[in-house]
Amino acid sequence: MTTGTTIDVTIGLDVGKTAHHACAMLASGDIIYDKPLPQEETQLREVFTDLQQHGTVLVVVDQPNTIGALPIAVARDAGCVVGYLPGLAMRKAADLYPGRSKTDRRDAFIIADTARTMPHTLRAVDRDNEVLSALKMLSGFDDDIAKDATRTINRLRSVLTQIYPSFERALAGDVITRPLILEMLIHYGGPTKLKKAGYHRVLNWMSKRSTKDPTVVVDAIFAGLKAQTVTVPGTAAAEVVIPQLAANIKSLLNQRKTIAEQVEELLADFPLSEVLMSMPGVGIKTAANILLAVGDCSDFRSAGHLAAYAGIAPVTRRSGTSIRGEFPARSGNKRLKNALFYSAFASLRSHPASKAYYEKKRAEGKRHNAAVMCLARRRCNVIYAMLTRGEFFREVPARTAA
């Protein structure tokens, strides 16, 4: 994180639910404040204001969201510089200090001293922007709903596999999450009632509720139903659970759809989103995740710095003659790394130049994931240029060898 100003006082905050422990030290390393600090705006502001008598104040937290959001907001409003020390960096820094105790006071001291002596370990806290703050809230909520939906879908598949494996196989892939299939499971309850209703009645029921011909799906469902003639114990109870699970999945998917619409509305008010989505393979959710992680890229010196932060730049390891080579990075911002990887993968279907580069890497002997990661690293350069310059994506003709 680059502030562009000289820091006179560094405050390390080990944040907590009801109170934080604050450790403030001068640039010389002298501690001038080391006390618990309640989670209240008035007292937070008082401490930050008093410490500004010594000069420019940098407030560093170990958790910038949830319980750490209030001190960050108060510090910004009081005119302080703010920063974030990632958990992994803090754990590594803690090993450099004597002792193995784990206390709030020690953690606050380590945060402050690390920020003072190793400012390169800090990361910028989310920009003071209402759109980005709202995107973070919605994105986190969507992630929770996605996990709940996946867990419920797996539970439904488990129930169907237990009582009717051939029926579950007929709903393989994303078939089971289609709205019409979920409505069918809610209405009929399970394989027993479907068999009792019969092929033609089910086909007629689904045809009235679908804009497309459901014959292929109904044929697969009844082929699966005919493959089993015995009734597994517990089928009656399972068919009480099945419609409830299907209703839960439908509700969760509708919630995700609503959130996606809200995210799209928010991104419409954020100029850089249009710039980012002009690139092949970058959709609404991907653009939101990238913007949440890097903003306008002003905190990164180069595209290589951005790639290293995302964890998509290979790490060079050399030791004598026994260890030589480059290896995939195990660290980095996971949300950003996934967004860049999946956008690169999506571009293979819509962008010939990306497809050609991917095929080139495969021809060099790289596996699928490695080739996509190479493409993501290449696209990272373009994304960095687009965001820092505010320019839309454009094709650059390949250079011809002399």
Side-chain angles (χ1 to χ4, degrees):
M1 185 192 76
T2 57
T3 63
T5 57
T6 302
I7 301 301
D8 301 298
V9 180
T10 303
I11 306 175
L13 278 182
D14 182 54
V15 298
K17 183 177 180 181
T18 58
H20 321 295
H21 195 96
C23 178
M25 57 178 61
L26 299 174
S28 61
D30 296 328
I31 298 176
I32 58 175
Y33 188 94
D34 188 9
K35 298 178 184 178
L37 190 56
Q39 175 83 305
E40 295 178 0
E41 178 183 350
T42 303
Q43 298 191 50
L44 287 167
R45 186 183 297 276
E46 181 181 351
V47 172
F48 295 156
T49 303
D50 290 344
L51 291 173
Q52 283 179 318
Q53 297 175 4
H54 298 274
T56 304
V57 173
L58 168 63
V59 178
V60 183
V61 297
D62 61 341
Q63 188 173 333
N65 303 314
T66 59
I67 58 178
L70 179 61
I72 288 295
V74 174
R76 273 189 174 135
D77 191 60
C80 300
V81 182
V82 296
Y84 161 53
L85 182 63
L88 179 61
M90 181 182 171
R91 287 194 296 271
K92 290 182 176 179
D95 292 336
L96 303 177
Y97 294 85
R100 288 291 180 267
S101 60
K102 177 68 174 69
T103 64
D104 295 343
R105 183 178 184 182
R106 182 174 186 268
D107 289 347
F109 169 78
I110 292 173
I111 294 171
D113 201 41
T114 302
R116 181 183 66 87
T117 57
M118 296 184 286
H120 64 277
T121 61
L122 299 183
R123 294 290 178 264
V125 183
D126 292 336
R127 286 80 186 156
D128 192 9
N129 184 290
E130 184 62 30
V131 174
L132 288 177
S133 299
L135 282 175
K136 177 172 282 295
M137 180 68 71
L138 292 175
S139 181
F141 185 46
D142 182 65
D143 288 342
D144 291 339
I145 295 176
K147 292 175 183 177
D148 291 341
T150 300
R151 183 165 53 249
T152 309
I153 292 170
N154 290 338
R155 178 58 179 158
L156 176 58
R157 287 196 178 280
S158 176
V159 172
L160 293 176
T161 302
Q162 179 180 342
I163 64 170
Y164 226 115
S166 57
F167 177 63
E168 190 276 333
R169 287 194 295 271
L171 305 179
D174 63 344
V175 175
I176 199 171
T177 58
R178 294 178 185 175
L180 185 61
I181 298 300
L182 294 173
E183 286 287 351
M184 179 196 73
L185 294 175
I186 295 171
H187 180 73
Y188 287 103
T192 301
K193 292 183 180 179
L194 281 169
K195 291 178 71 173
K196 186 178 295 185
Y199 174 87
H200 295 288
R201 182 177 295 179
V202 173
L203 178 60
N204 183 53
W205 184 89
M206 295 184 71
S207 298
K208 292 179 180 179
R209 292 163 177 79
S210 176
T211 57
K212 298 181 180 180
D213 185 7
T215 303
V216 175
V217 176
V218 177
D219 287 345
I221 289 173
F222 275 86
L225 293 174
K226 291 179 182 179
Q228 180 175 319
T229 58
V230 299
T231 302
V232 176
T235 299
E239 293 191 334
V240 174
V241 175
I242 289 172
Q244 297 184 40
L245 291 174
N248 289 341
I249 294 170
K250 180 182 176 182
S251 175
L252 291 169
L253 294 180
N254 286 337
Q255 290 180 51
R256 294 200 69 191
K257 183 179 179 181
T258 301
I259 292 174
E261 293 172 354
Q262 294 172 340
V263 168
E264 186 173 2
E265 292 177 3
L266 288 172
L267 288 179
D269 299 328
F270 200 71
L272 285 179
S273 64
E274 296 182 5
V275 171
L276 199 53
M277 286 190 289
S278 67
M279 187 176 195
V282 179
I284 294 174
K285 185 67 182 295
T286 304
N289 285 331
I290 293 175
L291 291 173
L292 283 173
V294 303
D296 58 0
C297 282
S298 60
D299 290 320
F300 300 93
R301 299 183 302 273
S302 63
H305 186 193
L306 175 62
Y309 175 67
I312 62 174
V315 178
T316 301
R317 295 179 184 173
R318 293 186 179 182
S319 178
T321 59
S322 59
I323 302 177
R324 285 179 177 269
E326 294 184 340
F327 302 86
R330 299 300 181 186
S331 58
N333 187 305
K334 300 300 182 184
R335 179 190 294 273
L336 178 59
K337 184 176 185 178
N338 289 337
L340 294 175
F341 180 88
Y342 289 125
S343 67
F345 179 70
S347 70
L348 298 179
R349 297 188 293 270
S350 59
H351 191 225
S354 295
K355 179 69 173 179
Y357 184 80
Y358 167 82
E359 295 293 350
K360 174 185 174 183
K361 291 300 176 181
R362 289 304 304 270
E364 293 175 0
K366 295 187 180 295
R367 294 180 180 271
H368 168 72
N369 283 358
V372 174
M373 192 62 74
C374 290
L375 176 60
R377 174 63 185 89
R378 183 184 180 93
R379 286 164 54 89
C380 185
N381 295 341
V382 181
I383 290 175
Y384 179 81
M386 290 168 58
L387 292 179
T388 53
R389 301 173 186 173
E391 297 180 1
F392 286 84
F393 177 82
R394 67 177 187 274
E395 296 285 353
V396 178
R399 288 175 294 182
T400 304

